[in-house]
Amino acid sequence: MSQEKNSILHHLAELRDTFLRCLVTVLVLFLALVYFSNDIYTIVAQPLLNVLPEGASMIATNVAAPLLTPIKLTFFAAMFLAVPYLLMQVWKFVAPGLYKHERRLVFPLLFGSIILFYAGVAFAYFVLFPIAFSFFTAIAPEGVTIATDIGSYLSFVLGLFFAFGVAFQIPILTLILCWTGVTTAQRLREKRAYVIVAVFVIGMMLTPPDLISQTLLALPMWALFEIGLLASRFYVKKEQLDSTEVLSH
């Protein structure tokens, strides 16, 4: 009983140290970036600024918004840049509890998850924003002056960054479901029609209420599902071979 208690306390201490390292990393990045907070906001706002009508600009409806909004964005930027380190800390915490063949399979998933998260954010910034903002500004009624509040814009883009970053995890989710035996690639192929409907529903839930954003999220999700479906056959097959080797030894 004493050994079990000591083990629990040891794991809690490790968890605390992991959390503190992650927190310090984010704070250090934030302090390094905060001087450039206005420049960072300008970069994030560029897709909208590029399509605003001549003479139009963004506005701040809150007195403190010109100061606090860029700083808020800088904090999220620090977290964004720290994602690889944060996930590696999580990996170091959970890896000792995994079998060798499980570690060989989980680490590529973790690495792939990081890449896909960044890919989702990049897709939103470089593909979705220019198309969506051009559409929004083009359909504005005559006589309406487009002057987006900087705080509202930040909330809008952060929501889409998160939505696309999470949505691009679909191949990882597909591989995990097949690897753990929850389902198989064949079963998922048979339910493809339901998946297509589901990705469009998710697109409606995660994006603003406009058809362009919803479609530009749903189509990549569908494509990523197909990629995950294709990869899962080889991934599961390799996992089964590894398990066989472990049992034979």
Side-chain angles (χ1 to χ4, degrees):
M1 185 66 178
S2 178
Q3 289 182 345
E4 182 179 349
K5 184 178 179 180
N6 290 335
S7 178
I8 294 175
L9 292 175
H10 176 70
H11 286 302
L12 289 176
E14 285 186 346
L15 182 61
R16 178 203 60 198
D17 293 342
T18 299
F19 175 77
L20 289 176
R21 284 194 295 268
C22 293
L23 180 60
V24 168
T25 300
V26 172
L27 289 177
V28 169
L29 285 171
F30 171 74
L31 293 175
L33 295 173
V34 71
Y35 179 79
F36 307 99
S37 58
N38 287 337
D39 296 325
I40 294 172
Y41 190 92
T42 300
I43 292 173
V44 174
Q46 204 61 51
L48 177 60
L49 296 175
N50 288 339
V51 298
L52 284 177
E54 186 176 353
S57 64
M58 302 182 73
I59 62 172
T61 57
N62 187 292
V63 175
L67 171 66
L68 297 181
T69 300
I71 290 178
K72 178 181 177 181
L73 173 60
T74 302
F75 179 75
F76 282 103
M79 293 183 62
F80 176 76
L81 293 176
V83 165
Y85 179 81
L86 301 181
L87 290 180
M88 288 306 299
Q89 288 300 307
V90 173
W91 167 253
K92 287 175 63 176
F93 181 75
V94 302
L98 301 175
Y99 292 107
K100 184 176 179 180
H101 71 283
E102 290 177 331
R103 288 198 295 269
R104 290 204 307 267
L105 292 168
V106 172
F107 184 79
L109 289 181
L110 183 64
F111 180 77
S113 179
I114 296 172
I115 299 300
L116 288 171
F117 179 81
Y118 284 134
V121 173
F123 183 88
Y125 183 83
F126 291 106
V127 178
L128 172 64
F129 289 175
I131 296 174
F133 294 152
S134 296
F135 174 74
F136 293 154
T137 55
I139 64 171
E142 186 177 352
V144 174
T145 301
I146 300 175
T148 303
D149 176 66
I150 61 173
S152 299
Y153 177 81
L154 179 59
S155 298
F156 179 84
V157 298
L158 287 180
L160 284 178
F161 281 153
F162 178 77
F164 275 78
V166 171
F168 271 54
Q169 303 300 311
I170 285 181
I172 303 298
L173 178 61
T174 303
L175 290 174
I176 291 175
L177 289 175
C178 293
W179 176 42
T180 56
V182 174
T183 186
T184 63
Q186 179 60 35
R187 291 176 185 170
L188 289 175
R189 277 195 295 271
E190 294 171 354
K191 294 179 173 58
R192 181 179 279 112
Y194 299 102
V195 171
I196 294 173
V197 173
V199 297
F200 277 91
V201 171
I202 294 172
M204 293 171 57
M205 295 172 60
L206 294 181
T207 60
D210 67 276
L211 187 60
I212 292 180
S213 299
Q214 294 166 4
T215 303
L216 286 176
L217 177 58
L219 291 179
M221 288 172 65
W222 181 12
L224 289 167
F225 166 75
E226 296 294 341
I227 293 172
L229 199 62
L230 181 63
S232 65
R233 294 183 302 173
F234 305 100
Y235 204 87
V236 172
K237 183 178 180 179
K238 183 179 184 301
E239 190 272 341
Q240 291 172 344
L241 289 174
D242 289 339
S243 298
T244 303
E245 292 175 0
V246 171
L247 291 175
S248 64
H249 287 81

